[in-house]
Amino acid sequence: MSRAETESVGDATPTSERESYTGQSVKRVEDYDILTGRAEYIHDITPPDCLHMALVRSVHPHARIEEVDVSRALDHPDCELVITGEDLKADYNPMPSGLPGFEEWSLATDKVLYSGEPVAAIVASDRYAAEDIADRVVVNYEKLDAVADAMEARTDEHVIHEDIGTNVPDSERFEFGDPQTAFEEADHVVEGEYSWGRISGVPLETAGVVAQYDPENDSFDIDCNIQLHTLVDDTVYDTLGYPPEKVRLNVPADVGGSYGTKIAIHRYCCLAAMASQYLDGRPVKFVEDRVENLQGGDMHSSERDYKVKLAVDDDGTIRGLDVWFVDDFGAYPRYPVNQVLKPLAVLTNAYHIEDVGYEYELALTNKTCQTAYRGFGVPSHLYALEMVVDEAARELGMDPTTFKRQNLIPPEEMPYLIPSKNIYDSGDFPAAFDRIVDIVDEEERVEGGLLDPEVVDQRREEGYIRAASPSIHVEPGVSGSDWTDRQRTDRDTLEARDRDDVEELPEHLRGSIRPDGSVEAFIATDSQGQGHRTIVAQLLADALELTPDDVEVSYLDSVEAPTEYGTAASRMAVMLSGASEGLGELLKTNLRELGAREFDAEVEDVVYREGGVEHVETRERLTLAELRDRDDGEYTAAAYDYQHPASVREEFDDALTGKLPVYPTAAFAANAPIIEVDTRTGQVEILKFYTLRDCGTRLNPMIVDGQAMGGLAQGIGAALYEEFGYADDGQPQAITLFDYLLPSVKNMPDLELYHQETPSPYTATGAKGTGEGGMIDGPAAIATSLNTALAEFGIVTDTIPATGHRVRRWLRDAGVGTEGVGR
């Protein structure tokens, strides 16, 4: 369970006539359908006469395809269609790639590059028959040497893409300030090497699609649970070879999670659409099973090896930072530059460091492709940075808490320009850090507490070590679309770029008054359970002086909606709340104009009040229903585009005209997880997780707490359990949930949530992005407490996840026998 320091979580109804709904824990409107089973997911959609698709997948990580024999499959009486890669090459296009020069088809053609890569598609009357028919396809391979380690891939001994000529297709170094001088003049240079294991989100609902080709209009209707459907729809229509208005992507209101992992499901959308076209418009459905999702669903995320250096002086001042890492992107680059550059948005975390070097190498291996996951490259960066900070404190003989506190950015420097030109908008890092220290001291370092010295000593005698250490981590929020263009632009071109060249996608929201006086609003982006409809209903209710029950919120498909960045990068609280406030004000202005027309008065003599307009002198009044009855749609319907917060502020000019990420909000968390290590087995248990969180204005505290709890659960999984392991020959080792361990009710600790609010000066409501919190800050926080627990043995958590066998190996190497300590 959790608790909040500033207010309790629960249903909230305004106690006064005009008390704001915004900032209250209004129950999510989405939950009724979910909890009563009325929610319709992609898995529930099966139109009449629907056929089903199954995929033949490679059993080899790296091999040439010599022959795909489909004769026995075609002989099966239930077989409707078999598609191979060669079929696609004749009729369609390769899928878009994250880097130029790469050609990846929806089905493998000449080679397979990872175990689980689709080779053929089977369409049959039902999924069972399709799976049986898939077993009849015979693929003859010439096995090739596989590359399963990113560090080895850098040698190019076995090049995966011969036409590219290297396994490292992208690399770059950035320098901010003068890191060379900082390291030369510092009293100490501390170095560390750290590894972040391959993990990802594992949503309850796997990828799914139902596609139907319309022969009469030569167009496609595709129901799917893809994320960012208006931004990444080009991955579907470009592959099909059609203009965007001919390919309609429909995402249902209810999606069973994504966390970024469904951004790259365009392969399935395309294959189902192609199959329907081959079959003259019969609908075709495909849903991943769990093994497909884990093995070859293109949903793995960051796997990195770091070398980090910190320049420090004897007095504990951090002088410089240097970060180098290689990122294993698997067989094809999907979202490569975004993923490796996003950490620049929080380059120095909450620390005051002016001179920094940052370098990456993007390596390709024979593993499933990497895509986005909650935090998008930031969690591993904060983990590596926090580990070298702990090592520096040891080098200096300083208490890590004192060392960190000394180097935090002070509140008087907010807004704070970090070396990589992003800006932290607001916050008091030292106050949050001190508060989490005090909370743990007051709650647990007392008699009977988890960290009661007598209890700690007793547990040590029994072979267990307990510890907690505070840390603070920044969550960048509200990325922009223009950054994607800048990432793919060479530096010479960027030097000639000015602010007028910046093009950001606004957040679109439209709404109208219905005949009964209620309001209908339409969101242009998709949702995966974040509570978008609730937030819009709350804010529009406040703006129009209604109740949330008077506002119904729906979604637009990819053709109706303008191109949007969408639900990613902790954007929606800021962007949707800004759009909701803007739409509400626009509708009120329009309604006052309509009222003035009806009253034969000047607009300034008409006020909007409590769901209607009034003449200030005559007190004539028209309700929303009456206004709607007098209008043909000119005044009672409107659309509003909320501009990206950084696009209107000159403070971001340097970043917006360079190859640097812009995230104008800086939510943050101060954490102190209490852990216990069984020194005999190496198992790590989190006894309780204390966290103090600041995301500016909390639009709906219940939703904020839910996001934090879910994010921390994922962070705990990343830190201690989850990993997509691969054998040396490239075969995946975690293709079921018996192998890929997720946190559960058995190993989730009590979460003690506290809050402080420092509203953002850059956003319409003061809200900051907080959708990636927990996953961003949890792993580093857990590793920091583990470092404190094992400090006496000289152990640093140099690998995530810190599984039992790894921790036990560290203890063994440090001389701790199987009997553990205290015995």
Side-chain angles (χ1 to χ4, degrees):
M1 61 183 296
S2 72
R3 66 181 181 188
E5 179 185 52
T6 54
E7 64 180 289
S8 61
V9 175
D11 190 21
T13 301
T15 55
S16 63
E17 189 176 5
R18 284 268 51 91
E19 184 179 349
S20 175
Y21 287 97
T22 306
Q24 301 288 331
S25 291
V26 175
K27 287 183 178 179
R28 299 187 349 148
V29 299
E30 295 88 348
D31 290 348
Y32 179 79
D33 286 345
I34 294 171
L35 295 174
T36 59
R38 291 174 170 84
E40 184 178 63
Y41 297 87
I42 284 294
H43 295 211
D44 299 319
I45 299 174
T46 306
D49 203 29
C50 186
L51 298 172
H52 295 262
M53 185 172 74
L55 298 175
V56 178
R57 294 179 180 269
S58 170
V59 296
H60 300 297
H62 195 195
R64 296 194 190 281
I65 300 174
E66 296 182 330
E67 181 186 21
V68 182
D69 184 353
V70 301
S71 57
R72 291 185 64 244
L74 291 171
D75 288 341
H76 194 286
D78 293 325
C79 182
E80 298 284 347
L81 178 69
V82 178
I83 310 173
T84 67
E86 291 304 316
D87 297 326
L88 302 187
K89 291 177 73 173
D91 300 316
Y92 300 101
N93 298 323
M95 298 186 294
S97 175
L99 289 174
F102 287 85
E103 188 174 270
E104 180 186 8
W105 291 87
S106 301
L107 296 172
T109 54
D110 303 320
K111 287 206 309 181
V112 292
L113 298 186
Y114 60 94
S115 181
E117 183 174 7
V119 177
I122 308 297
V123 179
S125 54
D126 60 61
R127 180 63 180 263
Y128 298 100
E131 295 281 1
D132 289 342
I133 297 167
D135 289 339
R136 289 174 166 235
V137 175
V138 178
V139 185
N140 295 321
Y141 297 100
E142 176 195 352
K143 290 179 61 177
L144 302 172
D145 290 325
V147 182
D149 181 270
M151 298 296 281
E152 293 179 5
R154 297 168 60 243
T155 66
D156 286 337
E157 181 179 355
H158 302 292
V159 175
I160 297 171
H161 295 271
E162 292 95 338
D163 51 340
I164 300 297
T166 179
N167 293 328
V168 186
D170 185 62
S171 63
E172 190 160 4
R173 180 172 176 82
F174 297 82
E175 291 195 353
F176 307 100
D178 186 2
Q180 182 176 348
T181 300
F183 278 90
E184 288 175 351
E185 296 181 353
D187 295 328
H188 303 268
V189 174
V190 181
E191 301 183 34
E193 296 186 9
Y194 316 105
S195 294
W196 176 273
R198 176 175 284 233
I199 59 170
S200 191
V202 183
L204 285 174
E205 180 195 35
T206 57
V209 57
V210 179
Q212 186 163 14
Y213 172 68
D214 181 351
E216 183 176 345
N217 295 308
D218 191 25
S219 63
F220 297 88
D221 239 309
I222 303 173
D223 291 295
C224 60
N225 51 20
I226 197 169
Q227 187 173 338
L228 308 185
H229 73 293
T230 71
L231 185 69
V232 304
D233 54 346
D234 61 327
T235 61
V236 180
Y237 64 72
D238 279 352
T239 305
L240 293 173
Y242 276 73
E245 63 271 14
K246 290 286 189 178
V247 181
R248 183 183 297 270
L249 296 185
N250 308 291
V251 177
D254 297 294
V255 173
S258 174
Y259 319 109
T261 64
K262 289 175 183 164
I263 289 175
I265 68 169
H266 48 280
R267 179 197 307 275
Y268 302 144
C269 298
C270 294
L271 286 173
M274 295 166 182
S276 179
Q277 188 171 37
Y278 281 133
L279 293 166
D280 298 321
R282 289 279 299 276
V284 175
K285 180 174 182 176
F286 173 77
V287 173
E288 275 184 333
D289 64 31
R290 186 58 66 183
V291 172
E292 288 179 305
N293 175 257
L294 295 174
Q295 177 188 14
D298 297 343
M299 48 72 74
H300 295 187
S301 194
S302 296
E303 179 181 4
R304 295 180 175 177
D305 290 302
Y306 281 90
K307 294 181 180 179
V308 187
K309 296 189 297 183
L310 204 65
V312 293
D313 284 343
D314 288 332
D315 65 358
T317 301
I318 300 177
R319 296 283 301 275
L321 169 69
D322 190 89
V323 178
W324 175 93
F325 65 94
V326 58
D327 201 338
D328 185 338
F329 263 79
Y332 292 93
R334 287 283 167 78
Y335 298 95
V337 187
N338 314 52
Q339 191 106 307
V340 295
L341 291 188
K342 181 176 179 178
L344 290 172
V346 286
L347 178 61
T348 56
N349 191 25
Y351 301 117
H352 190 291
I353 310 173
E354 296 181 352
D355 302 303
V356 185
Y358 183 91
E359 183 176 4
Y360 71 86
E361 294 184 22
L362 191 160
L364 300 178
T365 61
N366 292 117
K367 298 177 183 176
T368 188
C369 305
Q370 184 187 126
T371 190
Y373 177 41
R374 199 172 192 171
F376 205 46
V378 172
S380 53
H381 174 80
L382 295 182
Y383 151 71
L385 175 54
E386 204 65 24
M387 294 306 94
V388 79
V389 166
D390 278 352
E391 294 213 58
R394 291 185 186 181
E395 173 82 12
L396 297 175
M398 291 183 65
D399 172 49
T401 301
T402 303
F403 179 63
K404 294 172 187 180
R405 177 64 173 79
Q406 175 179 331
N407 286 284
L408 292 176
I409 299 165
E412 59 269 19
E413 294 191 23
M414 294 291 182
Y416 180 78
L417 179 69
I418 67 174
S420 51
K421 309 305 179 185
N422 195 37
I423 300 171
Y424 295 163
D425 53 345
S426 65
D428 190 334
F429 298 153
F433 189 79
D434 292 343
R435 181 67 183 125
I436 201 68
V437 171
D438 291 343
I439 288 170
V440 173
D441 286 348
E442 293 163 4
E443 298 288 334
E444 303 296 351
R445 298 188 195 276
V446 295
E447 185 177 356
L450 290 172
L451 296 175
D452 176 348
E454 291 187 6
V455 173
V456 172
D457 289 344
Q458 177 61 39
R459 291 298 287 166
R460 182 182 177 83
E461 290 180 7
E462 297 167 359
Y464 300 88
I465 299 177
R466 284 188 182 181
S469 185
S471 58
I472 191 164
H473 304 99
V474 180
E475 175 188 357
V478 201
S479 178
S481 54
D482 183 79
W483 180 37
T484 301
D485 297 329
R486 287 182 278 119
Q487 291 168 42
R488 289 165 173 78
T489 305
D490 63 72
R491 289 193 176 186
D492 291 339
T493 303
L494 283 175
E495 288 179 2
R497 195 175 194 265
D498 60 32
R499 187 57 182 265
D500 292 336
D501 297 318
V502 175
E503 295 184 5
E504 284 291 354
L505 293 173
E507 184 65 34
H508 180 81
L509 185 67
R510 65 182 70 166
S512 60
I513 310 300
R514 296 194 290 198
D516 65 355
S518 63
V519 177
E520 186 172 24
F522 292 91
I523 300 173
T525 188
D526 46 66
S527 172
Q528 297 80 40
Q530 295 90 342
H532 295 165
R533 292 163 60 201
T534 303
I535 294 298
V536 171
Q538 284 181 256
L539 274 97
L540 281 180
D542 280 340
L544 298 175
E545 300 178 22
L546 304 170
T547 71
D549 290 340
D550 296 320
V551 183
E552 183 174 321
V553 185
S554 302
Y555 295 90
L556 300 173
D557 63 41
S558 64
V559 173
E560 292 178 289
T563 299
E564 288 250 339
Y565 191 101
T567 304
S570 298
R571 283 175 55 92
M572 299 316 293
V574 169
M575 300 300 288
L576 267 185
S577 64
S580 298
E581 281 205 346
L583 177 62
E585 291 302 314
L586 181 57
L587 279 171
K588 286 196 294 186
T589 298
N590 289 354
L591 294 170
R592 287 179 60 227
E593 292 178 359
L594 176 57
R597 187 190 76 181
E598 294 299 306
F599 297 145
D600 193 21
E602 298 297 325
V603 173
E604 54 266 28
D605 293 328
V606 178
V607 296
Y608 182 95
R609 187 172 71 85
E610 296 180 4
V613 296
E614 294 180 4
H615 192 290
V616 294
E617 294 182 358
T618 67
R619 296 302 178 186
E620 290 180 88
R621 177 175 175 81
L622 290 171
T623 65
L624 291 181
E626 292 169 329
L627 288 165
R628 174 68 175 81
D629 186 56
R630 288 162 168 77
D631 182 47
D632 59 4
E634 179 182 359
Y635 295 98
T636 56
Y640 185 83
D641 292 316
Y642 176 68
Q643 299 299 321
H644 187 269
S647 67
V648 295
R649 293 186 171 274
E650 63 181 18
E651 304 98 298
F652 291 94
D653 281 359
D654 286 345
L656 283 169
T657 55
K659 201 170 185 176
L660 301 170
V662 171
Y663 285 77
T665 72
F668 58 94
N671 297 319
I674 301 175
I675 68 163
E676 183 172 79
V677 182
D678 184 338
T679 58
R680 297 161 300 175
T681 66
Q683 292 296 319
V684 179
E685 181 182 0
I686 303 174
L687 304 178
K688 191 175 288 187
F689 200 118
Y690 283 92
T691 180
L692 173 67
R693 314 190 74 81
D694 190 327
C695 62
T697 303
R698 288 188 294 160
L699 303 173
N700 185 315
M702 180 175 65
I703 291 178
V704 169
D705 280 359
Q707 290 274 22
M709 293 177 199
L712 285 169
Q714 290 179 319
I716 290 168
L720 300 178
Y721 308 115
E722 302 179 37
E723 187 172 20
F724 288 104
Y726 280 79
D728 292 341
D729 64 357
Q731 287 291 355
Q733 302 297 292
I735 60 173
T736 73
L737 293 180
F738 288 104
D739 312 305
Y740 189 85
L741 302 182
L742 292 167
S744 70
V745 292
K746 290 185 176 181
N747 45 33
M748 274 297 293
D750 285 346
L751 302 177
E752 297 288 343
L753 269 62
Y754 295 78
H755 297 280
Q756 67 178 34
E757 293 188 8
T758 51
S760 172
Y762 295 155
T763 68
T765 58
K768 301 182 180 186
T770 189
E772 296 174 312
M775 179 57 212
I776 278 182
D777 53 90
I782 294 166
T784 295
S785 287
L786 184 55
N787 287 346
T788 299
L790 302 180
E792 64 182 284
F793 308 112
I795 295 171
V796 172
T797 309
D798 62 13
T799 304
I800 288 289
T803 55
H805 76 281
R806 285 191 175 120
V807 176
R808 181 58 210 142
R809 186 182 70 238
W810 298 338
L811 288 165
R812 183 178 65 247
D813 292 346
V816 179
T818 55
E819 72 282 358
V821 298
R823 292 176 180 271

